[in-house]
Amino acid sequence: MEKANREALISDRDEILSRQQAQGRIEEAGDFPKVVLIDTVSFCNLKCSMCVHPNMSRKKGVMPWKLFTKIIDEIAAEDKSTRIWMVFFGEPFILKNRTPSIFTLIKYAKEKGLTDVVVNSNANLMDETAARRLINSGLDAIYIGVDAFSRESYEKIRVGGDYEQTVRNVLRLQELKREMGSATPEVFVQFVEMDLNRHEMNDFINFWGGHGATVKIRPKVSWAGLIEAPNLVLGNEDRWPCHWAMQTMSITDTGKVVTCAVDLDARYIAGDINTQTLKEVWSGKLKELRALHINGRYCNLPPNCRGCRDWQSARANYHHLNKRDSKEYSVDHAEDKH
């Protein structure tokens, strides 16, 4: 029985590894990260069941304009094709009425010539005014976490959210794009696959695909072991280099660079963008972490990374009305948390 279980795990390992390799998610990014996550706001309006944000221990805040522009200016100088996530662990539309607003931040990045500026959101606060401003900002893509095809499931997963209002908000964004003659932002609707919602996945794909959205199906993460994720079937003896370590940089609202996108509480600090450049941090402590991954020295990683098994979740399947079969892309970082 143990031998059979082990053989099944090896099969799972080979399939998961091949998907990540096909998406180009394991090789080292090089001299500069492929993806930068910016914690412009660390507040959130929901308490989702598969998320650790409700238990977040670090102080919540909003990134100062000076720090934000410093980050964007360096990215523009280094590599304009770097993917920029305008939120790391918060809800962007909390900033819709602030000065500067989330739309001002996006526009600044686009005016600097960045070509891949995206946000993730639960869309509960995305009213029509916000949707219009989002389109006018020049945002390239928005990833909207819905995770259910019924109010009953939604309320168990997206605690505090309004299912019907969210659906209306997303559909209205699609309508406004047509009315305003804009191809952007590209709309991705996300479904984190879990036991609770798996039975609704096909209906979810058909509905949102039929309304012009690209559907993203992704596995659950454990946030470095802080919540249960039964889908993480592989142990560390099966480990390979983590996508988030190899290709991404995550910056908190105070400028601290942390291990990766699942290091919510900044348990490991690799640098400080207030006093360093992104490239210095990427070539410093983060490079040391990448070397440990590359050389298989996982036992020497920081504690929050050492026992983490989320490396196997760095993948996703994408579905569109005109692509009936699963389509896997390498443009995304897995990373959509909301």
Side-chain angles (χ1 to χ4, degrees):
M1 186 67 176
E2 289 183 3
K3 181 179 179 181
N5 288 339
R6 182 61 188 158
E7 289 175 349
L9 284 178
I10 291 172
S11 176
D12 288 337
R13 180 191 189 277
D14 292 343
E15 179 183 358
I16 295 169
L17 177 58
S18 65
R19 288 185 183 183
Q20 292 195 22
Q21 289 173 328
Q23 292 179 328
R25 304 180 72 80
I26 298 177
E27 64 268 18
E28 190 175 12
D31 294 335
F32 201 73
K34 287 186 176 181
V35 179
V36 177
L37 297 92
I38 305 174
D39 200 20
T40 56
V41 56
S42 53
F43 294 96
C44 188
N45 57 317
L46 301 187
K47 296 182 178 181
C48 301
S49 63
M50 74 298 197
C51 181
V52 294
H53 192 281
N55 300 319
M56 178 174 168
S57 62
R58 68 177 169 95
K59 184 178 178 181
K60 301 178 181 67
V62 176
M63 180 174 285
W65 173 255
K66 183 178 179 180
L67 176 58
F68 173 77
T69 56
K70 179 180 188 285
I71 293 168
I72 295 299
D73 290 352
E74 182 181 348
I75 295 170
E78 291 289 343
D79 186 354
K80 290 181 171 63
S81 68
T82 302
R83 166 159 277 209
I84 309 303
W85 287 86
M86 298 296 292
V87 283
F88 164 20
F89 219 89
E91 168 52 49
F93 290 109
I94 287 176
L95 299 180
K96 67 182 181 180
N97 295 322
R98 286 182 63 100
T99 302
S101 69
I102 185 63
F103 316 108
T104 303
L105 302 180
I106 295 166
K107 187 170 289 188
Y108 184 87
K110 292 302 297 178
E111 288 176 348
K112 286 292 179 175
L114 303 188
T115 62
D116 194 8
V117 180
V118 304
V119 299
N120 49 352
S121 170
N122 57 57
N124 275 256
L125 303 177
M126 189 181 67
D127 55 23
E128 179 160 337
T129 299
R132 287 183 181 275
R133 296 181 71 188
L134 194 70
I135 295 168
N136 287 328
S137 72
L139 183 73
D140 294 293
I142 181 170
Y143 290 72
I144 300 169
V146 179
D147 304 306
F149 191 64
S150 69
R151 178 166 55 178
E152 180 183 15
S153 294
Y154 183 88
E155 289 178 349
K156 292 177 182 176
I157 298 170
R158 295 271 165 184
V159 179
D162 184 323
Y163 175 69
E164 285 80 8
Q165 185 62 57
T166 298
V167 171
R168 287 194 296 270
N169 289 348
V170 181
L171 294 178
R172 184 55 181 151
L173 174 63
Q174 293 286 67
E175 292 173 353
L176 287 170
K177 283 175 57 182
R178 291 190 291 271
E179 291 173 13
M180 297 168 67
S182 179
T184 57
E186 185 174 1
V187 177
F188 293 79
V189 182
Q190 179 172 274
F191 185 99
V192 176
E193 184 179 358
M194 299 171 279
D195 291 341
L196 179 60
N197 63 3
R198 188 171 292 113
H199 65 288
E200 297 181 351
M201 186 167 65
N202 288 336
D203 288 335
F204 185 94
I205 292 170
N206 291 332
F207 176 80
W208 287 111
H211 283 88
T214 298
V215 177
K216 176 180 179 179
I217 307 294
R218 59 154 303 153
K220 187 179 181 182
V221 297
S222 72
W223 304 104
L226 295 180
I227 63 171
E228 289 293 324
N231 55 292
L232 302 179
V233 296
L234 303 178
N236 277 344
E237 68 274 12
D238 300 296
R239 194 167 186 171
W240 56 80
C242 177
H243 160 68
W244 290 295
M246 303 305 289
Q247 299 185 357
T248 77
M249 175 184 285
S250 300
I251 308 170
T252 70
D253 59 282
T254 62
K256 300 295 191 294
V257 178
V258 300
T259 323
C260 71
V262 300
D263 189 5
L264 166 67
D265 284 322
R267 289 181 280 175
Y268 177 85
I269 305 298
D272 188 344
I273 302 304
N274 290 287
T275 58
Q276 296 172 277
T277 66
L278 277 73
K279 197 164 189 177
E280 285 171 346
V281 179
W282 184 252
S283 302
K285 286 189 177 181
L286 288 183
K287 185 175 183 178
E288 294 174 5
L289 293 183
R290 295 197 301 278
L292 293 175
H293 280 264
I294 292 169
N295 295 317
R297 295 170 56 196
Y298 303 113
C299 61
N300 297 125
L301 289 167
N304 61 300
C305 189
R306 188 184 311 150
C308 178
R309 295 198 294 159
D310 290 330
W311 43 270
Q312 58 196 281
S313 286
R315 68 191 196 281
N317 293 336
Y318 292 77
H319 303 258
H320 191 273
L321 181 65
N322 296 321
K323 301 180 181 70
R324 289 297 187 184
D325 296 326
S326 172
K327 179 75 172 179
E328 299 194 11
Y329 299 86
S330 60
V331 297
D332 167 52
H333 86 93
E335 331 48 325
D336 316 347
K337 302 160 292 296
H338 292 62

